[in-house]
């Protein structure tokens, strides 16, 4: 068996692992990264990037369909548009290819050795990798587990045939005629809306009483309205049962207890993701767990000395930018820097139509801190830029302490609002007060002015409502 030794071994080259390895390499740490599939992980190959490519294509198609219908007041007319999903998916695959090659190049540039294969712990310092050319043993002083997550499977709706996960949904060759989506969370609604825009008849079956239960109800109302405009049927409080044998029918129990048969040529199951904690020898390490996740401290150290864990395998929120921030921090700790997790907020963006953004605490969470709070909310219907983009649905909301005006949370919903997550995140991270946001000049005309106006509203003198 071939053997190599290194200071740092990273298992998994998703956003957590590859960022950790690049930063460690930049800092002169002798680093090896093992990846069984492609560099970039879930995010670049079957997650964030391919889904956003498909969502963008669907948005563009929806726009031209709307123009062709003559319903838009812009004075533009054109013939009936069509979409060739095979070509769309090929374009998406080229983007994925560019990014995965880019990550491999960045790892190389940082001096990181890349090993392709499945890694399994032999003990706390040794890992065996099943490579194409045989077994490879890697000994390391420090090991980072960045194995990510996998889609949850429902026992009576196992993946296969017409029952698909997001991975297959992102590689379809044609738009399904009738798409049933089980789970109205992030993936179900992002992709459900995209397929509805591409012409599928979409139905969403969600177990809880409302869609996107992670966000407060007011934030999700504009999304529910858009779903209805797009002709998406949403069944909340509903439990998916099984597919009827030999028929394209999904059986589910509606909120009133009635059994419903839903015609569907594809059933997209998006009921969450589980951390990948099997198959890589977790049993050799006897790590402490936090529920289904690997337990970590504020430096991402596990219960075993010299072993760190980052990204989806360590808990919620299972988001790429959290994994990357943890990866960068751990690389610096391994290189001898003094670091610990001190982030004030992790932005969350749902790329539905309209998009939803949150950073920090919601109004309810803020109240639970015991502090008296002030809330300022500004509607996009009073924002000039939003009017010119036909994007008046939605608002920005700022939540602050009443005593010292420290901003505790910022939320928003609106078309294209994902780009405001940077401003929201910076405000929270830098400990902004309402006066800091209200006192910064926001360029006109932009949706960002809604952010300033929401802060002004909380201070009691919004200018444009
Ligand atoms: P992963 O990206 O899952 O990477 C783990 C890697 O480890 C994989 O490549 C895997 O092959 C490898 N691996 C695992 N075990 C081994 C082993 N034993 N040996 C070798 N290699 C191994 N997040 C966002 O922030 N924004 C979004 O818009 C977004 N959209 C998403 C859309 C979809 C459809 C999905 C599924 C997810 C989306 N996410 C999004 C979530 C995001 O993809 C994850 O949070 C992120 O990829 C987690 O990064 P990670 O490094 O922890 O793990
Ligand atoms: P999710 O947790 O966002 O949503 C799952 C939904 O399924 C929930 O609303 C839940 O109530 C519902 N559900 C659970 N069991 C059900 C059942 N048996 N029948 C019907 N509904 C059921 O999970 P997801 O959409 O699979 O996404 C997984 C994770 O990936 C997310 O939590 C997020 O961390 C990440 N992600 C992020 C983004 C983004 O940042 N824009 C996009 C996609 C995915």
């Amino acid at each position: 068996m071939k053997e190599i030794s290194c200071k740092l071994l990273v298992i998994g080259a998703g956003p957590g692992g590859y960022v950790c390895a690049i930063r460690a390499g930049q800092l002169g740490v002798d680093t090896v990264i093992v990846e069984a599939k492609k560099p970039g992980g879930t995010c670049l190959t079957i997650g964030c990037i391919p889904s956003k490519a498909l969502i963008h294509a669907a948005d563009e198609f929806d726009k031209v369909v709307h123009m062709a219908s003559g319903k838009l007041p812009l004075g533009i007319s054109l013939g009936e548009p069509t979409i060739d999903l095979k070509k769309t998916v090929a374009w998406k695959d080229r983007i994925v290819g560019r990014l995965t090659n880019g990550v491999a190049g960045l790892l190389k540039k940082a001096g990181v050795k890349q090993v392709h294969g499945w890694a399994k712990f032999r003990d706390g310092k040794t890992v065996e990798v099943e490579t194409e050319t045989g077994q490879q043993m890697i000994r390391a002083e420090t090991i980072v587990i960045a194995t990510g997550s996998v889609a949850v499977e429902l026992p009576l709706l196992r993946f296969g045939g017409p029952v698909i996960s997001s991975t297959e949904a992102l590689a379809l060759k044609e738009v399904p005629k009738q798409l049933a989506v089980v789970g109205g969370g992030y993936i179900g609604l992002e992709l459900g809306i995209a397929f509805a825009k591409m012409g599928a008849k979409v139905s969403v079956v969600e177990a809880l009483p409302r869609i996107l239960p992670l966000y407060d109800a007011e934030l999700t109302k504009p999304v529910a309205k858009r779903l209805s405009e797009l002709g998406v049927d949403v069944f909340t409080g509903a439990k998916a049962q099984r597919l009827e044998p030999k028929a394209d029918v999904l059986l589910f129990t509606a909120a009133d207890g009635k059994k419903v048969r839903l015609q569907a040529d594809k059933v997209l199951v998006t009921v969450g993701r589980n951390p990948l904690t099997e198959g890589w020898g977790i049993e050799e390490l006897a790590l402490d767990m936090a529920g289904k996740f690997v337990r970590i401290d504020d430096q991402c150290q596990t219960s075993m000395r010299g072993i760190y864990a980052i990204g989806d395998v360590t808990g919620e929120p299972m988001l790429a930018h959290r994994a990357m921030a943890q990866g960068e921090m751990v690389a610096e700790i391994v290189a001898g820097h003094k670091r610990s997790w001190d982030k004030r907020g992790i932005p969350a963006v749902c790329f539905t139509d309209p998009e939803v953004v949150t950073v920090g605490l919601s109004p309810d969470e803020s109240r639970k801190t015991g502090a008296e709070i002030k809330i300022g909310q500004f509607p996009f219907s009073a924002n000039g830029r939003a009017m010119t983009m036909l994007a008046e649905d939605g608002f920005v909301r700022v939540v602050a302490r009443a005593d010292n005006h420290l901003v505790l949370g910022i939320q928003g919903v609106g078309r294209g609002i994902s780009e405001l997550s940077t401003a929201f995140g910076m405000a929270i991270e830098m400990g902004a007060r309402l006066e800091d946001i209200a006192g910064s000049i926001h360029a006109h005309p932009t949706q960002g002015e809604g952010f300033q106006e929401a802060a002004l509203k909380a201070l009691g003198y919004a200018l444009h409502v």
Side-chain angles (χ1 to χ4, degrees):
M1 192 186 299
K2 287 182 283 179
E3 277 191 38
I4 48 174
S5 298
C6 58
K7 175 151 169 72
L8 175 66
L9 169 64
V10 181
I11 302 177
Y18 85 71
V19 165
C20 183
I22 290 173
R23 185 70 190 122
Q26 287 173 345
L27 291 165
V29 177
D30 169 27
T31 305
V32 174
I33 191 164
V34 187
E35 170 56 57
K37 295 178 184 162
K38 286 207 171 135
T42 302
C43 177
L44 266 52
T45 61
I46 51 166
C48 326
I49 298 294
S51 61
K52 268 76 239 177
L54 207 71
I55 288 166
H56 177 69
D59 282 347
E60 296 296 283
F61 184 61
D62 183 54
K63 254 187 237 165
V64 286
V65 167
H66 229 71
M67 282 174 196
S69 73
K71 286 184 195 151
L72 277 187
L74 304 182
I76 303 170
S77 60
L78 35 84
E80 199 186 326
T82 57
I83 185 160
D84 180 344
L85 192 59
K86 244 190 244 166
K87 283 190 182 159
T88 312
V89 167
W91 163 74
K92 178 266 295 179
D93 288 341
R94 286 197 295 279
I95 295 175
V96 170
R98 272 173 62 194
L99 287 171
T100 54
N101 288 339
V103 168
L106 291 170
L107 287 164
K108 194 169 169 206
K109 187 172 148 210
V112 176
K113 182 174 170 53
Q114 299 170 61
V115 176
H116 187 239
W118 184 261
K120 202 165 175 191
F121 278 91
R122 183 183 263 201
D123 57 47
K125 297 275 175 216
T126 325
V127 162
E128 273 178 34
V129 185
E130 200 71 60
T131 73
E132 280 160 8
T133 53
Q135 292 281 109
Q136 164 99 63
M137 174 113 75
I138 306 174
R139 290 184 205 283
E141 277 173 39
T142 305
I143 300 179
V144 176
I145 300 165
T147 51
S149 62
V150 288
V152 169
E153 233 179 338
L154 291 174
L156 294 177
L157 277 173
R158 296 232 171 259
F159 296 128
V163 182
I164 58 174
S165 73
S166 53
T167 304
E168 293 76 42
L170 291 168
L172 289 175
K173 296 286 183 274
E174 53 187 52
V175 177
K177 285 192 178 58
Q178 288 153 320
L179 176 69
V181 177
V182 179
Y186 271 101
I187 302 179
L189 291 189
E190 287 188 3
L191 295 186
I193 288 176
F195 279 107
K197 286 180 175 174
M198 290 188 284
K201 170 67 197 161
V202 176
S203 308
V204 176
V205 177
E206 163 60 45
L208 291 178
R210 60 183 181 83
I211 53 157
L212 290 176
L214 217 68
Y215 297 111
D216 65 78
E218 208 181 351
L219 269 179
T220 59
K221 268 187 203 149
V223 180
K225 179 175 167 228
R226 186 74 179 116
L227 284 165
S228 154
E229 283 166 8
L230 287 164
V232 175
D233 292 327
V234 178
F235 302 94
T236 51
K239 299 250 157 36
Q241 304 291 333
R242 59 182 167 81
L243 268 190
E244 268 196 354
K246 293 193 194 156
D248 302 339
V249 170
L250 173 72
L251 280 181
F252 73 88
T253 313
D256 59 7
K258 286 204 180 105
K259 296 264 184 287
V260 181
R261 299 172 82 248
L262 191 64
Q263 199 74 35
D265 44 334
K266 291 275 183 250
V267 179
L268 170 60
V269 178
T270 55
V271 293
R273 292 182 62 82
N274 272 336
L276 181 54
T277 50
E278 279 174 13
W280 46 260
I282 194 168
E283 51 287 350
E284 307 302 326
L285 308 176
L287 297 178
D288 282 357
M289 304 297 283
K292 58 186 183 177
F293 299 102
V294 173
R295 182 189 294 282
I296 51 166
D297 65 10
D298 66 352
Q299 291 191 310
C300 289
Q301 292 216 57
T302 66
S303 54
M304 192 163 185
R305 220 179 139 79
I307 298 191
Y308 293 77
I310 58 177
D312 283 8
V313 77
T314 63
E316 301 280 1
M318 288 197 257
L319 298 175
H321 39 281
R322 169 177 173 269
M324 291 193 236
Q326 289 178 321
E328 186 253 357
M329 178 187 78
V330 168
E332 298 211 340
I333 291 170
V334 173
H337 297 199
K338 266 206 152 112
R339 290 284 308 271
S340 63
W341 189 258
D342 58 357
K343 308 293 179 202
R344 284 169 177 244
I346 302 172
V349 179
C350 192
F351 292 82
T352 38
D353 178 9
E355 294 170 345
V356 183
V357 177
T358 64
V359 190
L361 304 182
S362 70
D364 277 350
E365 288 165 342
S366 302
R367 283 186 198 100
K368 280 186 195 143
T369 65
E372 204 185 315
I373 60 164
K374 274 177 180 287
I375 297 177
Q377 186 164 315
F378 185 83
F380 282 124
S381 55
N383 174 273
R385 179 65 173 152
M387 285 179 206
T388 64
M389 300 191 326
L390 298 171
E392 294 181 40
D393 270 349
F395 57 85
V396 180
R397 184 171 64 196
V398 177
V399 187
R401 286 180 65 106
D403 54 358
N404 58 12
H405 296 180
L406 179 72
V407 178
L408 300 174
I410 306 163
Q411 302 87 34
V413 51
R415 169 115 55 84
I417 200 177
S418 53
E419 288 303 326
L420 285 184
S421 63
T422 310
F424 296 175
M426 293 240 321
I428 296 285
E429 199 60 43
M430 296 176 82
R433 314 262 155 172
L434 289 172
E435 289 79 356
D436 296 319
I437 300 165
S440 306
I441 297 179
H442 287 66
H444 178 73
T446 62
Q447 285 177 301
E449 288 172 286
F451 182 28
Q452 183 184 23
E453 288 280 354
L456 282 167
K457 185 98 186 285
L459 288 169
Y461 60 102
L463 297 167
H464 291 88
V465 271

